[in-house]
Amino acid sequence: MPRSIRRITVLSGGVGGARFVRGLRHGVAAGTLPGVARDAEVTVVANTADDWWLHGLKVCPDLDTLMYTLGDGIDLDRGWGRRDETWHAREELEAYGVDRSWFGLGDRDLATHLVRTQMIDAGYPLSQVTEALCRRWQPGVRLLPMTDDRVETHIAITDPEAPSGRRVVHFQEYWVRLRAEVPAEAVLVIGLDDCSPAPGVVDAITDADLVVLPPSNPVVSVGTILGVPRVRDALAATDARVVGLSPIIGGRHVHGMAQQLLPVIGVEVSALGVGQHYGARAGDGVLDGWLVDDADAGDVDALRRHGLAAAAVPLLMTDDDATASMAAAALELVSP
């Protein structure tokens, strides 16, 4: 295939998406991605529905995980937060008995949230704040929030002590404090229907040569990006090929809480189920191709019957070379 791909756009969540983009960037620089120029521009549209205000600070977990991972500042063992982090501020908050001290704001990480909040208080939109923060980190990609508007994911959980038998918590409480171990009954994304795409988001999709849905959470990461008004229309209109990689391997998620939340929206916890959920662009879906793990090779024929190009390859992101090989296989899947 001729080397013609110069613009790649990725719709990403946090940990899994960040690792994929790091491997994708590695493959671009090494020239191992078929048809991709070594100076290809990668744009990442990040989920911001996980964002919340904590201790008066604007915290953007997925944006920061992408920024730190691609800027070589991430704690590799945890997969989130800063390397060589200390926790003195959190310890003091705990000593004061402050609510939500269970959310791990490290001392180095705190500086990011302070700068972001000061800029937002001064009237700068999140997209401009993110651009400014990236000048410090040099992530090697163009990083865009999905929207400048406030959008927050909340989870309705079972609570026998509540009068209704349920209560609603912010996604961060469900994931960090409760560890997704309580039954979830509904996913509520507040403000999503009324938000607007951040500047550059729609153009990044319509002007791309390739759009990738990485192995991020289909419900609360990629799912919320797809819910931003005009994003699905942009995916339908783009001349780019759109390919996704399954976050489900052998009926289980690799990281996160996809297997807890997929049934809540009526989707089977399987590579086939998520592929069908995204759907084929030939119908009313968003994908041209769907890459699954070797463990799910038995789903390939069914996916093809649903109008998707499909193949099975190893999908564990053990290192950047393995991830770049995944990206190459995704490209080959949707190449003419």
Side-chain angles (χ1 to χ4, degrees), residues 85-167:
E85 187 61 279
T86 56
W87 306 94
H88 303 304
R90 186 179 72 176
E91 292 164 2
E92 287 300 306
L93 289 168
E94 290 174 346
Y96 281 116
V98 173
D99 188 28
R100 296 180 175 176
S101 59
W102 44 262
F103 189 88
L105 289 183
D107 301 327
R108 293 177 182 271
D109 193 31
L110 202 58
T112 299
H113 309 315
L114 285 164
V115 172
R116 177 186 292 119
T117 304
Q118 288 172 356
M119 291 188 70
I120 288 174
D121 287 347
Y124 291 95
L126 182 60
S127 52
Q128 291 184 19
V129 175
T130 301
E131 183 179 5
L133 293 172
C134 284
R135 293 192 193 106
R136 182 255 192 269
W137 287 102
Q138 297 294 309
V141 303
R142 184 186 183 202
L143 182 58
L144 303 175
M146 68 184 197
T147 181
D148 282 334
D149 300 319
R150 184 170 180 172
V151 176
E152 290 187 0
T153 299
H154 295 253
I155 308 294
I157 62 172
T158 301
D159 183 355
E161 297 182 3
S164 65
R166 63 154 61 173
R167 64 187 174 97

Side-chain angles (χ1 to χ4, degrees), residues 212-255:
V212 184
L213 275 57
S216 292
N217 192 297
V219 183
V220 293
S221 295
V222 176
T224 51
I225 299 172
L226 295 177
V228 174
R230 296 172 54 205
V231 166
R232 278 184 172 267
D233 291 341
L235 286 167
T238 185
D239 291 332
R241 302 293 283 173
V242 183
V243 64
L245 297 90
S246 176
I248 303 296
I249 295 178
R252 296 185 62 84
H253 59 229
V254 178
H255 174 82

